[in-house]
């Protein structure tokens, strides 16, 4: 029987599991986060609008004192939804950091501040600044590595198929060693897929778009095939 191995932080893994089970019914799942989100002390510079490239960043705006009604430039629907829940006015690029940078560069903006985690790709603030849109950045949280659970190690050393959705290159870098199980990865992007290329997985499929809904669709489709 296929095992769905979820390695996102606990809350995000349970949310994804609920979405999968709403589509395909009850599944055998192991939740073993490879990282935890740890808020960091941070102080915002003067800004007019914020940039959010993850839902985790959006969850920090309240404690950082970002005023309600602030425009938030967001990557993806989930980040935009979190920003809206925090009282901000989200504008979503809908795809990835590159698309967001292009959108901002072609829009009228005020002073920008990127709220991000310790580990981030895309160099959003740097790329905007060198392109003529000065942007500061604040590291508001860390994505600290977690040891794998016993259940995850058992799954990866067994003989039953393991379906492994991976949402970020860092998640891919932190997955436990695969010893014997046939592992089938659903990668959120080509960058994620590249990180698992040499890990001995059996198959890798990349979501059509780097967003939650595409990851859900690809995961459910592969689940039904295995």
């Amino acid at each position: 029987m296929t095992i769905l191995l979820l390695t996102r932080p606990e809350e995000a893994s349970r949310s994804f599991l609920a979405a999968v089970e709403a589509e395909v019914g009850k599944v055998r799942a192991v939740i073993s986060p490879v990282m935890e989100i740890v808020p960091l002390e941070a102080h915002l510079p003067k800004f007019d609008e914020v940039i959010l490239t993850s839902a985790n960043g959006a969850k920090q705006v309240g404690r950082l004192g970002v005023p309600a009604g602030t425009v938030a430039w967001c990557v993806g629907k989930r980040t935009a939804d979190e920003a809206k829940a925090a009282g901000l006015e989200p504008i979503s690029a809908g795809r990835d950091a590159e698309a967001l940078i292009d959108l901002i560069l072609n829009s009228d903006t005020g002073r920008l501040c990127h709220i991000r985690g310790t580990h981030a790709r895309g160099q959003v603030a740097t790329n905007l600044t060198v392109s003529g849109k000065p942007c500061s950045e604040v590291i508001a949280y860390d994505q600290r590595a977690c040891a794998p659970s016993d259940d995850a190690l058992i799954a990866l050393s067994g003989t039953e198929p393991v379906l492994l959705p991976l949402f970020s290159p860092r998640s891919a870098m932190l997955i436990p060693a695969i010893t014997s199980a046939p592992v089938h990865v659903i990668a959120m992007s080509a960058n994620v897929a590249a990180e698992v290329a040499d890990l001995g997985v059996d198959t890798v499929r990349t979501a059509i778009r780097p967003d939650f809904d595409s990851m859900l669709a690809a995961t459910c489709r592969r689940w039904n095939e295995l």
Side-chain angles (χ1 to χ4, degrees):
M1 182 178 180
T2 303
I3 299 168
L4 179 64
L5 177 56
L6 300 174
T7 61
R8 303 184 84 193
E10 185 81 19
E11 181 183 350
S13 285
R14 294 200 176 278
S15 176
F16 190 73
L17 174 58
V20 169
E21 292 190 326
E23 294 292 328
V24 303
K26 189 71 175 176
V27 304
R28 182 182 176 191
V30 171
I31 294 178
S32 178
V34 295
M35 68 180 81
E36 62 177 339
I37 304 303
V38 180
L40 300 176
E41 183 177 353
H43 301 283
L44 295 175
K46 291 183 179 180
F47 68 93
D48 300 302
E49 302 168 6
V50 296
I51 298 172
L52 302 170
T53 49
S54 75
N56 291 317
K59 291 177 180 178
Q60 308 302 316
V61 300
R63 72 176 182 87
L64 293 176
V66 178
T70 297
V71 170
W73 299 88
C74 301
V75 169
K77 182 177 183 299
R78 301 288 286 190
T79 303
D81 288 346
E82 287 288 350
K84 187 172 183 178
L88 307 187
E89 295 294 332
I91 300 173
S92 177
R95 297 194 303 280
D96 51 28
E98 289 76 15
L100 183 63
I101 290 170
D102 288 342
L103 178 62
I104 292 172
L105 289 176
N106 288 285
S107 303
D108 292 328
T109 65
R111 293 169 296 183
L112 296 164
C113 178
H114 182 200
I115 299 173
R116 67 173 182 89
T118 302
H119 304 276
R121 295 199 175 196
Q123 299 182 317
V124 172
T126 298
N127 285 330
L128 285 171
T129 299
V130 300
S131 297
K133 287 270 189 180
C135 180
S136 58
E137 65 179 3
V138 168
I139 299 175
Y141 62 95
D142 192 9
Q143 306 101 314
R144 293 183 186 169
C146 297
S149 69
D150 290 342
D151 286 343
L153 294 175
I154 290 170
L156 292 171
S157 62
T159 59
E160 295 177 303
V162 174
L163 182 57
L164 177 58
L166 292 172
F167 286 75
S168 71
R170 180 163 168 78
S171 294
M173 293 168 61
L174 294 175
I175 62 173
I178 299 165
T179 51
S180 61
V183 176
H184 305 276
V185 167
I186 303 298
M188 192 170 192
S189 68
N191 287 336
V192 178
E195 291 292 345
V196 300
D198 298 323
L199 296 182
V201 302
D202 286 65
T203 64
V204 180
R205 293 189 182 178
T206 304
I208 295 174
R209 295 180 301 278
D211 58 38
F212 183 95
D213 290 342
S214 295
M215 282 294 289
L216 176 61
T219 299
C220 292
R221 187 179 307 113
R222 194 71 174 114
W223 177 270
N224 290 327
E225 293 172 351
L226 293 173

